[in-house]
Amino acid sequence: MEARRATLADTDELIRLAKVMLDAVGLGSEDTAWEIEARNRLDSGFADESVAAFVVDHPSMGGRCVASAAVSLQPQLPIPGNPAASWRTCNGWPRIPSSVVTGAGGS
């Protein structure tokens, strides 16, 4: 299996996988308002390249993914050595509060 860059067509799967992870760590909710906003931000982020996401397609179920990673980017202010003010990583998505992370590597 290989990861590939996600496209607008993957938005539903990115949200589905985020829900799976949030449910797994006890942060799931019946409130779906976040899904609407996430869809809007993913769609606009893919369009202006302020969101980068990658998915791994399910080997036998077309249109389904088994893994994903997404990050939002924000422009950086110019500094010496970087006058073009290239993008910098803002945060991964979905973001899990550190208080929920336990076990190896957790804090």
Side-chain angles (χ1 to χ4, degrees):
M1 286 191 257
E2 290 186 29
R4 63 173 175 78
R5 183 103 184 230
T7 67
L8 281 172
D10 296 306
T11 300
D12 288 341
E13 274 300 281
L14 288 165
I15 291 170
R16 183 188 69 80
L17 289 171
K19 287 171 40 177
V20 168
M21 189 192 63
L22 292 168
D23 288 345
V25 297
L27 295 176
S29 171
E30 297 297 319
D31 178 16
T32 59
W34 74 270
E35 295 176 44
I36 295 165
E37 186 59 28
R39 182 170 282 100
N40 292 338
R41 289 190 190 188
L42 286 168
D43 290 352
S44 64
F46 286 145
D48 69 10
E49 297 186 342
S50 64
V51 168
F54 294 85
V55 294
V56 176
D57 294 315
H58 192 287
S60 61
M61 295 176 68
R64 295 291 281 224
C65 297
V66 296
S68 67
V71 65
S72 61
L73 306 170
Q74 66 184 39
Q76 180 174 309
L77 293 172
I79 59 172
N82 187 12
S86 59
W87 294 93
R88 72 179 173 108
T89 301
C90 183
N91 61 42
W93 179 80
R95 191 159 193 128
I96 303 298
S98 60
S99 61
V100 175
V101 179
T102 59
S107 58

